[in-house]
Amino acid sequence: MTSSAPVVRVRDLRKSYGSVDAVSGISFDIHPGETFALLGPNGAGKSTTIEILEGYRDRTSGEVSVLGVDPRRAGLGWKARLGIVLQSATESGNVTVTVTEQLTHFAGFYPNPRPVGEVIEAVGLQSKAKTRIGKLSGGQRRRVDVALGIVGRPELLFLDEPTTGFDPEARHQFWDLVRRLKDEGTTILLTTHYLDEAAPGWATEPG
């Protein structure tokens, strides 16, 4: 474990909806370059936790710091340092444009994006680079979601159930990509209910 300041610091995080506790006092640190998993079945509070860290959902109580900032007070500069892959496959923006056009558009939002061709290759969509988003299968759109999450060279990458809709080969390719990102120094926080996808020693359970 590195002695540097954690990229993510969570202390006694709680989120309640009336009398229902979605997250009940979770605490953890994630240090630079680590890959960290939140484990648990559907409804365990994994997505709620990650959405709080991303700044999309407010917490009921507890302390949270992400890249040295409380997400409740973070600005656009902070958001540009994050990569986010949501839980469900999305429409991935404008479905009338091609994969290359969509990634090129999103890359323009970041100061030092990855080359679009490199990203397309990394997610295994070379043969679909000139295909319109609306013509892709659900699993292929999921790969576009992942591509959009990494194109900006994020310091911290959130992956919420990232392999949903992937076949076994695609899941294998995806984890190869995650290992490459880790080797490059990207800090990764993922949620999963697939226990075989979480290596022992870097997972915690919310709730």
Side-chain angles (χ1 to χ4, degrees):
M1 186 73 69
T2 179
S3 61
S4 60
V7 173
V8 176
R9 184 177 187 275
V10 175
R11 293 292 181 272
D12 198 25
L13 175 62
R14 299 177 183 271
K15 178 62 179 180
S16 301
Y17 298 94
S19 60
V20 177
D21 292 331
V23 181
S24 302
I26 189 172
S27 299
F28 58 89
D29 288 343
I30 306 174
H31 290 269
E34 286 189 331
T35 300
F36 187 93
L38 288 173
L39 298 177
N42 291 336
K46 303 185 304 298
S47 292
T48 297
T49 298
I50 210 169
E51 288 170 0
I52 290 170
L53 300 182
E54 293 166 348
Y56 289 121
R57 191 180 298 274
D58 202 3
R59 62 189 183 267
T60 300
S61 63
E63 299 179 8
V64 176
S65 174
V66 178
L67 296 173
V69 177
D70 185 332
R72 293 189 296 194
R73 296 191 291 272
L76 291 177
W78 176 82
K79 291 182 181 296
R81 300 167 65 193
L82 306 178
I84 297 173
V85 178
L86 300 175
Q87 182 175 20
S88 300
T90 68
E91 290 300 318
S92 301
N94 185 349
V95 297
T96 66
V97 301
T98 68
V99 172
T100 296
E101 289 169 342
Q102 184 74 325
L103 282 168
T104 300
H105 175 70
F106 271 75
F109 297 148
Y110 299 96
N112 184 33
R114 294 177 183 274
V116 169
E118 174 186 306
V119 174
I120 290 174
E121 181 178 0
V123 298
L125 286 176
Q126 302 96 309
S127 66
K128 300 295 181 180
K130 297 183 180 179
T131 301
R132 292 184 180 184
I133 301 292
K135 298 294 185 180
L136 299 177
S137 68
Q140 290 164 347
R141 290 194 188 194
R142 188 62 175 159
R143 295 190 189 201
V144 174
D145 290 339
V146 173
L148 294 173
I150 67 173
V151 71
R153 295 187 195 271
E155 297 176 43
L156 173 61
L157 178 61
F158 291 100
L159 301 171
D160 195 1
E161 302 286 358
T163 58
T164 299
F166 279 23
D167 59 33
E169 181 180 359
R171 284 177 65 188
H172 178 76
Q173 292 173 343
F174 173 80
W175 290 113
D176 283 344
L177 170 61
V178 168
R179 282 188 284 270
R180 292 199 302 273
L181 292 171
K182 177 179 172 60
D183 289 343
E184 293 174 5
T186 305
T187 304
I188 299 169
L189 171 58
L190 65 95
T191 71
T192 183
H193 58 268
Y194 296 121
L195 296 182
D196 61 313
E197 292 188 342
W202 47 268
T204 191
E205 296 186 15

